[in-house]
Amino acid sequence: MLASALALLCLITPACLRDPDNGGKVRDDLPLQLLRDGDLLFRCGTSTESQAVLDADKNQGVYSHIGIAINDGGTWKVVHAVPGENHDGVDHIKVEPVDSFFLTTRAVQGAAMRLKGCDTANSRKAAQWALSKCGVEFDDRYDWNDSTSLYCTELVQRAYESVGVNLRGNRITHLSLPFFKGDIVFPSDIQRNDSLKTIFKF
C-alpha cells in the first residue's frame, strides 16, 4: 500500500518537474498498415508515472496508457492525453505519429486493439472527436465527473461515447490512498471489454 501511495504521489507531481525529453528509437516492426481509424493503442510506459499507474491498478493491468489512432494525411497518428511529454511545459491532449507513441524509451510493450461490431464510419467519428480535443488540458486531478479536462482513458471513453459506444461498461476502480481518493478508469478497465480484438502487439 505504501508503495502504491508513493507511486501515485509521483503521478500527480506537476509536469514542470519532469523531464519531457523522450528520445529513443523508432520500432521497425510495427505493422501500421493494419490500423484503422479509431483503433485503441495501448502501451506500457517506461516513466515513473507509468509505474504509478500499474502499481495503483487493482486489476493488475499490463498497460499504463491508451490513445486512439487516426489516419492524418496518410500518416498514422495517435491522439492521447499524457502528462510530462509536452515540450511547452503544459500538459494537454496531443496528436503525434504512432512511431513516436511507441518509441523504445516510451514503451516496453504495446498493442493495437479494435472494437468488434463498430463500423468504420463510427470508429472514424470517434477518432475525429478525440482529434477535436487536441489542446484541452490534461486532467491531473483524475476527476471522472469533470470533462473540461481529460486523462487518457477519459479521452477514449468520451470519444466512443460520442458515437453511442460505452467502452468501459460499468468498470471503474475506486482508490483510497493517502494522496488520492476517488474513482479512476484504468487502461485495464477498457482492455477488459470483451468486444476488443488485438490487431498487433509487441
Side-chain angles (χ1 to χ4, degrees):
M1 180 62 79
L2 179 59
S4 293
L6 291 175
L8 201 58
L9 178 62
C10 292
L11 182 62
I12 61 177
T13 299
C16 61
L17 300 180
R18 306 180 200 131
D19 182 2
D21 186 15
N22 291 285
K25 296 180 180 179
V26 172
R27 299 177 189 278
D28 58 10
D29 58 348
L30 296 177
L32 300 186
Q33 73 279 3
L34 300 179
L35 288 175
R36 191 177 83 179
D37 289 322
D39 283 350
L40 302 180
L41 303 182
F42 293 82
R43 77 181 182 197
C44 176
T46 61
S47 67
T48 303
E49 293 86 355
S50 297
Q51 189 58 53
V53 171
L54 295 177
D55 285 349
D57 185 356
K58 297 177 181 178
N59 305 314
Q60 298 182 324
V62 296
Y63 299 114
S64 57
H65 187 51
I66 186 174
I68 188 167
I70 190 166
N71 191 303
D72 183 22
T75 300
W76 279 107
K77 296 184 178 179
V78 56
V79 186
H80 62 126
V82 63
E85 287 189 9
N86 292 298
H87 293 280
D88 59 8
V90 179
D91 290 337
H92 53 74
I93 295 171
K94 68 176 190 174
V95 59
E96 65 179 334
V98 173
D99 285 345
S100 297
F101 183 79
F102 285 137
L103 281 173
T104 56
T105 49
R106 288 183 175 175
V108 294
Q109 58 181 320
M113 299 185 189
R114 181 172 302 155
L115 189 64
K116 294 180 288 187
C118 187
D119 62 46
T120 303
N122 277 334
S123 296
R124 172 74 178 172
K125 287 177 183 176
Q128 290 174 326
W129 185 96
L131 186 62
S132 75
K133 299 301 175 183
C134 280
V136 169
E137 288 187 7
F138 178 83
D139 183 5
D140 57 11
R141 294 180 297 117
Y142 298 89
D143 185 351
W144 187 256
N145 298 311
D146 177 10
S147 58
T148 58
S149 56
L150 300 165
Y151 61 96
C152 67
T153 51
E154 266 190 298
L155 175 66
V156 298
Q157 171 70 19
R158 308 288 185 210
Y160 268 93
E161 280 180 353
S162 74
V163 295
V165 175
N166 181 0
L167 286 174
R168 71 174 181 90
N170 61 0
R171 295 176 296 278
I172 196 165
T173 301
H174 179 74
L175 292 180
S176 183
L177 298 172
F179 304 107
F180 180 86
K181 287 180 171 51
D183 294 325
I184 287 185
V185 173
F186 285 97
S188 61
D189 290 314
I190 291 177
Q191 185 189 353
R192 288 187 295 150
N193 185 321
D194 291 336
S195 294
L196 286 178
K197 66 175 181 179
T198 300
I199 305 304
F200 66 77
K201 65 180 180 178
F202 61 88

